[in-house]
Amino acid sequence: MIRTLDQTRLPFERREIRLADAATCREAIVAMTVRGTPLIGAVAAFCLAFGLREDASDTALAKTRDWLASARPTAVNLAWALDRHQGEQRQAGVEAGPVESLDHAGIR
């Protein structure tokens, strides 16, 4: 689980939100309770990680990535990062799973 501040309440109220799974991470991006490229990127990374906990297959990862990309279509940095992740996974090879593609990209 990750905790962050509800950005919609700032600066008048300090309210913490808890993101415990892929669905709550995506909803935080959709509802704009998380804002700003760095925080959106961190929450998106956790969304993918939570999704991999449920199903670590390449097919499930691709579905989670597409589902996440639709969370905020105007977030160009989010789309760029998800596209880059997909490219790194493809470059790692079809036989490589998500963990191996992270190793290849130097992320792990």
Side-chain angles (χ1 to χ4, degrees), residues 6 20 26 33 50 54 62 64 69 73-75 78 82 86 95 103-104 107-108:
D6 181 341
R26 184 181 184 276
T33 53
F50 286 136
E54 295 172 21
T64 301
T74 58
L78 175 60
L82 293 170
Q86 183 177 25
E95 68 282 349
D103 285 338
H104 174 77
I107 296 172
R108 240 176 50 138

Side-chain angles (χ1 to χ4, degrees), residues 22 25 43-53 61 64-65 68 82 85:
C25 288
V43 171
F46 274 100
C47 183
L48 290 175
F50 286 136
L52 287 171
R53 273 190 186 168
L61 178 59
T64 301
R65 200 170 33 234
L68 182 56
L82 293 170
H85 179 267

Side-chain angles (χ1 to χ4, degrees), residues 6-14:
D6 181 341
Q7 304 284 301
T8 63
R9 304 292 183 159
L10 296 174
F12 303 106
E13 182 183 347
R14 186 179 192 278

Side-chain angles (χ1 to χ4, degrees), residues 13-33:
E13 182 183 347
R14 186 179 192 278
R15 181 184 212 180
E16 189 176 273
I17 58 172
R18 295 169 188 244
L19 308 173
D21 55 25
T24 56
C25 288
R26 184 181 184 276
E27 180 55 32
I29 293 171
V30 169
M32 295 181 69
T33 53

